[in-house]
Each structure stands twice: as structure tokens, then as C-alpha cells.
Amino acid sequence: MFVALERLINLQDGYRRTFQVASRDLLLLVVDGQPLLLENRCPHQGAPLHNATLSGRVLRCARHGLEFDLHSGRSLNGRCAPLSRFSLAYDGDRIGIDI
């Protein structure tokens, strides 16, 4: 089942918004023209990532400063599980997720 999150026309660099889908807190970002869908939770200790800083393709958790490469999802400065990422789906002029 497709769950629409946003209209494609609204997705521009710097876009950042959270969504609740099937009991999951998700974060939709647009970085370098590429939409990315992540779990809105740092794998280190569960801090929300919607207020993380972004520098290029590096996301830095606001709570403990752990940095993650958005391309691979891997932690750059510590032993930590990778970011939980989700595949995006498209339906007409909407972007979303298949659940």
C-alpha cells in the first residue's frame, strides 16, 4: 500500500519534514536534489534527527555529535549502527513509501 508523504513540487534542497507512518517516526530530507527517507532516530541512543545539522551529505546528531554519511548511512566517528533508511516510492506527483 502506497502512503503519500509529499508532493514532488515541494521537494527542494533543504526540505526537512517528519512523518508518522505505521508507528514509525520518519524524516524526509532533500540533499543535493535527492530525497532521502530515514528513521527519525539516531541509532546511537535514539535521539530525534529532525534537528540534526547537515553539512553537505553529512548529518550530525544534535545530542552527541555523531556524524553519518547520508550516502551510505554509516557512522563517521564512532562505532554505531548505520542510519535506518527506507526506499521511496512515487505515484503521479507524489512521493511516499510502500508499506
Side-chain angles (χ1 to χ4, degrees):
M1 175 175 85
F2 177 78
V3 175
L5 300 176
E6 185 61 89
R7 294 182 62 208
L8 293 172
I9 196 166
N10 295 329
L11 298 181
Q12 299 180 16
D13 277 345
Y15 178 95
R16 185 185 299 209
R17 185 170 167 201
T18 60
F19 298 89
Q20 287 285 327
V21 177
S23 304
R24 289 209 130 150
D25 191 17
L26 303 176
L27 175 62
L28 180 61
L29 302 166
V30 178
V31 179
D32 295 333
Q34 180 70 38
L36 303 164
L37 187 61
L38 312 169
E39 186 169 13
N40 187 29
R41 180 180 181 281
C42 178
H44 174 236
Q45 288 189 353
L49 292 173
H50 63 266
N51 58 355
T53 58
L54 187 61
S55 178
R57 295 190 60 84
V58 175
L59 188 71
R60 185 175 194 263
C61 178
R63 184 172 293 165
H64 294 112
L66 283 169
E67 295 180 331
F68 297 89
D69 179 303
L70 287 175
H71 180 70
S72 68
R74 291 188 193 141
S75 173
L76 297 176
N77 57 352
R79 291 186 182 174
C80 183
L83 294 171
S84 294
R85 302 184 321 166
F86 299 89
S87 296
L88 288 162
Y90 298 86
D91 185 12
D93 70 341
R94 305 253 179 206
I95 192 169
I97 187 170
D98 285 323
I99 57 171

